[in-house]
C-alpha cells in the first residue's frame, strides 16, 4: 500500500520540483528587471509596438502612426499579438511608469511559465532528470532573462510556442481534442505575435493527417484552431490599403539578410562614413524590391551571382548566426538595447552561469542538431512530439536563413533547443548502455 501511494504521489512531487524552478525563474527575472538599467527602453521596435498599443486604446485602430495624429491610418506592418498585450496593460494602468513595470512583471511571469512548459514536456517525453535539467537551463539561459527586460515580442512569442508544445504533448498522450484545440490556439497566438510561425502548425497538421490517419480528430482540431485566428487577421489585412505592409517587412528582412555586412555596418553607421554608405545601398535595394519585386529580385540575384562563393558561405553560416550567442542588431552579447548594471554581469552567481552557457552554447547547439536529426529520422509515427519540436526548429532555421538571422530571433526557441539537446544526450546514453550490455556477456564468458 505504501509503495502504491509513493508511486501515485511521485508525479505530483516531480511537477512540484519543476514548479519551484519556474518560481525561481520568475524571481530572477523580477530581480533582473528591478536592478538592470535599460537606457531609453522605448526605442526601435519597442517604440513601434508602443505606438500601435496607444492607437488601439485611444483611436481603436491598429496603426504605427504617431500617437498625436487625430485619425491615424491603419496598417499591416506589425503583427498584433504584442501590441494587444501592451494595449490591455495600458488601458488598465495608463502609459506611465506603472505600465512599464507591469509589462516587465507580466513578461517575467510568461517567461517563468515557459520554463515549466519545457521542463514538464521533457519530464513526460524523456525523464524527470531530463525535465529538471531542461527547466534549470531554460530558467538560467541569459538571453531569456535579458529579453524579458525589454518591451519586445520575443518573450510573448516564446510563451505561446512553449504552451503549444506542452498542450500538444497532452493531446498526443491523452488522445483528446480539447488539448489539440489549445495547442492550435497557442500556435495561432505565436503566429499573431510573429508571423514567421504562421505556416508551421497548419503544415504540421496536414502532414500528420497524412502520416497518422488514426488520430485524424486531434490533428483536425490543431489545424482548425491554428488557422482560423490567423486567417481572420489576414482578411483584415487584405482590406487595409497603403504601403506600410507586412509584405514590405518581409522584403526588408530578405534584403538585409542577404548582406553579410549588415550587422557590422548597422552598428558602425553612425561613426563610419563607409558603413553609412553601405547602409544607404542596402536601403536602396530594399526600396527597389518593395517598389518592383521582379526588378528588385533580379538586382539581388545579380549581386549574389557576382560573388557565389562569398554568398554561399554566408548562407551556410547563417544558421550558426541564428542559434549562436551574440545579438548582432543591438548592443551585442545578450542585449538588444543599451543596458547597464546588468544583473547577469554584477551578480557573481549569474555571471558564472552566464559564462558556463557562453562556453557550452556551441555544444548545446550541436547536441540539439543531433537530437533534431534523430527525431526526424524516427518519424512522426514513432516520436510525434519530438518530431514536431524538431520540425519547428528546422522550419525556423530555414525561414530565418532565407530572411535575417540573429540570436535575438532564436530567443523564443531556446527551450526547443535545450529539449532537443537533452533528447540527444539521452539517446547517446541509451546507445552506450546498450553497447555495454552487449559486451558484458562476452566478458563474463571469457576464460
Amino acid at each position: 500500500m505504501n509503495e502504491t501511494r509513493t508511486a501515485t504521489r511521485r508525479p505530483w512531487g516531480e511537477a512540484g520540483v519543476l514548479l519551484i524552478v519556474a518560481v525561481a525563474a520568475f524571481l530572477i527575472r523580477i530581480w533582473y528587471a528591478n536592478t538592470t538599467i535599460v537606457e531609453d527602453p522605448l526605442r526601435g521596435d519597442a517604440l513601434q509596438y508602443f505606438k500601435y498599443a496607444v492607437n488601439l486604446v485611444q483611436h481603436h485602430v491598429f496603426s504605427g502612426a504617431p500617437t498625436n495624429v487625430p485619425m491615424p491610418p491603419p496598417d499591416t506592418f506589425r503583427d498584433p499579438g504584442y501590441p494587444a498585450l501592451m494595449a490591455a496593460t495600458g488601458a488598465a494602468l495608463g502609459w506611465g511608469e506603472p505600465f512599464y513595470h507591469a509589462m516587465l512583471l507580466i513578461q517575467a511571469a510568461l517567461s517563468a511559465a515557459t520554463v515549466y512548459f519545457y521542463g514538464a514536456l521533457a519530464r513526460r517525453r524523456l525523464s524527470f532528470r531530463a525535465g529538471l535539467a531542461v527547466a534549470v537551463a531554460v530558467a538560467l539561459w541569459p538571453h531569456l532573462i535579458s529579453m524579458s527586460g525589454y518591451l519586445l515580442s520575443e518573450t510573448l512569442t516564446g510563451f505561446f510556442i512553449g504552451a503549444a508544445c506542452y498542450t500538444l504533448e497532452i493531446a498526443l498522450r491523452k488522445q483528446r481534442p480539447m488539448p489539440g484545440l489549445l495547442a492550435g490556439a497557442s500556435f495561432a497566438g505565436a503566429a499573431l505575435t510573429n508571423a514567421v510561425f504562421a505556416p508551421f502548425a497548419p503544415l504540421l497538421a496536414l502532414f500528420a493527417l497524412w502520416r497518422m490517419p488514426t488520430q485524424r480528430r486531434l490533428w483536425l482540431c490543431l489545424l482548425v484552431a491554428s488557422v482560423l485566428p490567423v486567417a481572420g487577421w489576414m482578411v483584415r489585412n487584405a482590406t487595409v490599403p497603403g504601403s506600410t505592409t507586412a509584405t514590405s517587412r518581409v522584403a526588408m528582412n530578405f534584403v538585409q539578410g542577404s548582406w553579410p555586412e549588415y550587422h557590422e555596418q548597422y552598428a558602425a553607421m553612425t561613426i563610419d562614413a563607409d558603413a553609412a554608405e553601405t547602409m544607404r545601398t542596402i536601403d536602396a535595394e530594399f526600396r527597389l524590391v518593395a517598389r518592383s519585386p521582379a526588378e528588385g529580385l533580379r538586382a539581388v540575384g545579380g549581386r549574389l551571382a557576382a560573388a557565389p562563393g562569398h554568398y554561399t558561405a554566408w548562407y551556410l553560416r547563417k544558421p550558426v548566426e541564428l542559434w549562436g550567442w551574440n545579438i548582432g542588431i543591438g548592443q551585442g552579447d545578450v542585449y538588444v538595447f543599451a543596458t547597464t548594471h546588468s544583473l547577469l554581469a554584477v551578480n557573481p552567481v549569474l555571471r558564472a552561469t552566464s559564462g558556463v552557457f557562453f562556453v557550452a552554447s556551441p555544444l548545446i547547439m550541436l547536441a540539439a542538431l543531433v537530437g533534431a536529426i534523430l527525431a526526424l529520422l524516427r518519424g512522426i509515427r514513432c516520436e510525434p512530439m519530438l518530431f514536431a519540436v524538431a520540425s519547428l526548429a528546422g522550419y525556423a532555421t530555414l525561414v530565418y536563413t532565407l530572411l535575417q538571422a540573429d540570436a535575438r530571433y532564436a530567443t523564443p526557441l531556446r527551450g526547443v533547443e535545450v529539449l532537443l539537446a537533452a533528447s540527444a544526450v539521452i539517446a547517446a546514453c541509451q546507445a552506450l548502455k546498450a553497447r555495454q550490455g552487449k559486451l558484458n556477456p562476452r566478458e563474463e564468458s571469457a576464460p
Side-chain angles (χ1 to χ4, degrees), residues 150-166:
Y150 299 119
L151 297 184
L152 297 172
S153 64
E154 278 73 18
T155 298
L156 181 61
T157 304
F159 167 80
F160 278 128
I161 291 174
C165 293
Y166 176 68

Side-chain angles (χ1 to χ4, degrees), residues 375-388:
L376 294 174
L377 289 176
R378 289 169 181 164
I380 193 169
R381 290 182 178 178
C382 179
E383 286 283 1
M385 189 61 243
L386 289 179
F387 180 90

Side-chain angles (χ1 to χ4, degrees), residues 98-266:
F99 161 79
Y100 179 65
H101 292 300
M103 283 298 301
L104 297 184
L105 178 66
I106 291 169
Q107 292 188 161
L110 293 174
S111 187
T114 307
V115 170
Y116 181 81
F117 290 148
Y118 285 110
L121 178 55
R123 178 175 74 90
R124 289 287 186 183
R125 306 311 300 182
L126 301 174
S127 68
F128 169 66
R129 290 182 180 179
L132 181 58
V134 167
V136 171
V138 178
L140 295 177
W141 196 286
H143 297 79
L144 296 172
I145 296 174
S146 67
M147 199 61 69
S148 67
Y150 299 119
L151 297 184
L152 297 172
S153 64
E154 278 73 18
T155 298
L156 181 61
T157 304
F159 167 80
F160 278 128
I161 291 174
C165 293
Y166 176 68
T167 50
L168 180 58
E169 190 279 329
I170 295 175
L172 289 167
R173 177 163 46 89
K174 295 188 174 182
Q175 293 298 303
R176 293 178 182 175
M178 183 54 67
L181 289 172
L182 292 176
S186 297
F187 275 123
L192 291 172
T193 308
N194 184 343
V196 161
F197 297 101
F200 173 74
L203 290 174
L204 175 66
L206 290 173
F207 180 77
L209 284 170
W210 171 48
R211 299 298 296 170
M212 302 178 69
T214 58
Q215 300 181 25
R216 183 177 290 110
R217 189 180 180 188
L218 186 160
W219 295 111
L220 281 174
C221 288
L222 178 71
L223 178 64
V224 171
S226 64
V227 166
L228 286 183
V230 179
W233 184 250
M234 292 175 66
V235 170
R236 177 264 180 191
N237 288 350
T239 65
V240 176
S243 58
T244 308
T245 65
T247 303
S248 65
R249 186 153 58 93
V250 172
M252 178 180 68
N253 287 332
F254 169 71
V255 171
Q256 292 174 349
S258 69
W259 286 76
E261 305 86 357
Y262 178 74
H263 289 178
E264 181 181 350
Q265 301 302 308
Y266 176 86

Side-chain angles (χ1 to χ4, degrees), residues 16-28:
V17 172
L18 297 179
L19 185 60
I20 291 172
V21 176
V23 171
F26 173 75
L27 295 176
I28 289 172

Side-chain angles (χ1 to χ4, degrees), residues 312-387:
T312 298
W314 164 236
Y315 276 93
L316 291 176
R317 195 169 73 245
K318 285 178 78 173
V320 178
E321 296 282 335
L322 174 66
W323 296 101
W325 185 269
N326 190 60
I327 293 177
I329 306 177
Q331 178 176 323
D333 195 20
V334 300
Y335 307 105
V336 180
F337 301 147
T339 304
T340 58
H341 202 262
S342 169
L343 185 66
L344 298 173
V346 300
N347 180 267
V349 175
L350 291 179
R351 184 171 64 245
T353 57
S354 297
V356 170
F357 275 104
F358 176 76
V359 173
S361 61
L363 299 177
I364 296 173
M365 185 196 311
L366 181 60
L369 175 61
V370 173
I373 292 173
L374 290 175
L376 294 174
L377 289 176
R378 289 169 181 164
I380 193 169
R381 290 182 178 178
C382 179
E383 286 283 1
M385 189 61 243
L386 289 179
F387 180 90

